[in-house]
Amino acid sequence: MDQKTEFCGAGLQPQPPAQEPERQYYFIERCRRHTEEFEKRHGRKPKACVFNMGCQMNARDSEKLSGILASAGYELSDSEEADLVVYNTCTVRENANNKVWGRLGYLNAYKKKHPHMKIALCGCMMQEPGVVRRLQESYRFVDLVFGTHNIYKFAELLDTAFEQDGMVVDIWEDAGEIVEDLPAERKYPFKSGVNIMFGCDNFCSYCIVPYVRGRERSRSPKDIIREVGRLAADGVVEVMLLGQNVNSYGKNLEEPVTFAELLTEIEKVEGIERIRFMTSHPKDLSDELIRTMARSKKICRHLHLPLQSGSSRILKAMNRHYDKEQYLSLVRKIREEMPDIALTTDIIVGFPGETEEDFLETVDVVKRVGFDSAFTFLYSKRTGTSAASMEGQVPDGVAKERFSRLLEEVQRASSKRAGALVGQVAPVLAEEVNEQDASLVTGRMGNNYIVHFPGTKDLVGKIVPVRLRECKGFYFYGEAACTHI
Ligand code: 5AD
Ligand code: SF4
């Protein structure tokens, strides 16, 4: 666990403290009383499943929810057949919402057979007003609903759900304080996400994130460095700095700090061997950051630089604040400083008004840049965003056909890039024993490519030099070049 629960339950005061995080430690202790009662009645600890449905930010939030539950006495489980199920939802595309509605049907059936079970929903989808209304009308079996701004209050809300009948709903429209020092239960002992900022101010016209995650707020460098130091002391060798737009980190702090300056400080933390970050907005990527990356031994040679579209006309309608030429010249500049860098991207197909010519501009950028990999998405209309009411919505069939063509281009470009690495020896952080073949270990190179190589579980968490033998598109088979470095 990242932080230890030091709050002492003996002699719990009748009134909770007003200060955070002390208040939440008080409620963790109260929840522990519920779990102890459960254990007495059932002869086992209650099981809790935190199911993450979203991006890396959500994944880190899920680790915080799990940390609170573990401190409260729950046994964590991957199975939704549990005594408490928490869905940490996403809403960036409509299909993310559909997945939640579908799974709720299944949970309802399970809860009918296990009436003591509790169901909690949180995350981005809950910040949409229509969603909460629908839950209140047709999904009364849900016990607790909260949003993105009050996730730190999970213990308090869970305690309320135990004390009170009916659905507990607590959604805040705006972000409150950033609460530090709550527990977190990491999925991997050797690597961790670290939030450096929350929210987004960019209002790309298709994107719901600024509405559900609120305005941009940076954590103080002091708090971030302290967290990274603690993680390193706890055996973490790789950190992933998380924010919707890390390149604008620190602009709104009382004493402004640039993202490059923050990286330089993090690099000094002993024990941390690899630093990653995401996501970078091309409009804010500074020369200072490129220089800092180029001279660093710890910052991974990987940039995730969402393109979204290669058409300058569509980029303008998307409110991205760069055009095709600016994106291409940024890529040139990055590659001049770091020829070995891996570039990955996000692309949306079928944005309102996208013509065949616009689409071909996107294909042209994909060919010219040669991304190491790209996440491609069909445009999804999100209520409340400005693109939702734009004219020229692209018919499904047309968008899907473009999507397949784009995928082919992306795959062609990425196998060419990956193929060129065969024969090299690269440091690989071994992450787990391969699920399909237990004689293999699976890990990641600094540039984020996945490598499978013969090895045993004692390698997990170590950085091993591996010779890349065979390329299978976006992953490699390799062989440890030697086991000691
Ligand atoms: N439709 C499709 N893709 C979207 N993304 C964000 N909003 C939408 C949407 N409405 C994609 C963008 C972003 C990634 C996280 O999700 O490409 O970079
Ligand atoms: Fe959405 Fe744009 Fe903010 Fe990314 S930068 S979260 S795409 S609004």
Side-chain angles (χ1 to χ4, degrees), residues 43 93 97 136 139 208 298 329 343 352 411:
R93 285 168 292 275
N97 291 38
Q136 284 169 324
Y139 295 80
I208 201 164
K298 292 186 176 179
S329 65
L343 291 175
Q411 281 166 352

Side-chain angles (χ1 to χ4, degrees), residues 19-64:
Q19 282 280 100
E20 299 290 5
E22 292 77 5
R23 184 178 173 88
Q24 294 315 310
Y25 281 105
Y26 171 93
F27 282 106
I28 287 174
E29 209 49 50
R30 282 186 57 118
C31 288
R32 201 202 295 270
R33 294 184 174 182
H34 293 288
T35 57
E36 280 167 2
E37 230 171 79
F38 181 100
E39 199 170 348
K40 267 190 225 141
R41 228 176 311 130
H42 298 265
R44 63 170 176 87
K45 280 186 168 202
K47 278 193 186 145
C49 167
V50 179
F51 193 83
N52 185 55
M53 297 174 147
C55 60
Q56 260 123 342
M57 293 279 244
N58 264 38
R60 183 61 182 153
D61 284 346
S62 292
E63 291 186 346
K64 293 176 185 170

Side-chain angles (χ1 to χ4, degrees), residues 92-93 206-207 306 308 346-348 377-382:
V92 79
R93 285 168 292 275
Y206 50 82
C207 187
Q308 311 300 5
D346 293 341
I347 301 171
I348 298 176
F377 305 105
L378 279 170
Y379 167 72
S380 170
K381 188 173 173 174
R382 308 310 290 125

Side-chain angles (χ1 to χ4, degrees), residues 272-393:
I272 297 297
E273 296 182 46
R274 279 183 171 183
I275 305 169
R276 300 184 182 280
F277 54 85
M278 77 186 316
T279 290
S280 290
H281 195 307
K283 80 175 165 62
D284 295 314
L285 200 137
S286 66
D287 291 353
E288 185 199 13
L289 175 62
I290 299 173
R291 279 196 306 272
T292 305
M293 286 183 81
R295 65 166 177 253
S296 168
K297 295 250 175 324
K298 292 186 176 179
I299 304 172
C300 289
R301 288 288 209 260
H302 170 218
L303 255 180
H304 186 68
L305 201 59
L307 166 69
Q308 311 300 5
S309 169
S311 153
S312 297
R313 199 178 67 83
I314 294 293
L315 285 168
K316 195 161 193 339
M318 286 177 161
N319 196 29
R320 291 289 289 175
H321 297 282
Y322 56 87
D323 62 19
K324 178 182 179 183
E325 280 315 315
Q326 283 166 329
Y327 188 93
L328 287 171
S329 65
L330 180 61
V331 167
R332 270 195 297 275
K333 196 156 59 172
I334 294 167
R335 286 214 169 120
E336 262 164 33
E337 292 281 339
M338 295 171 282
D340 57 341
I341 196 156
L343 291 175
T344 60
T345 200
D346 293 341
I347 301 171
I348 298 176
V349 176
F351 183 83
E354 184 190 76
T355 62
E356 177 65 15
E357 288 67 42
D358 293 316
F359 172 69
L360 291 176
E361 297 277 2
T362 302
V363 174
D364 184 47
V365 177
V366 167
K367 282 184 174 155
R368 284 166 69 177
V369 172
F371 291 106
D372 291 77
S373 85
F375 295 102
T376 47
F377 305 105
L378 279 170
Y379 167 72
S380 170
K381 188 173 173 174
R382 308 310 290 125
T383 310
T385 62
S386 62
S389 53
M390 284 182 187
E391 292 189 354
Q393 302 279 329

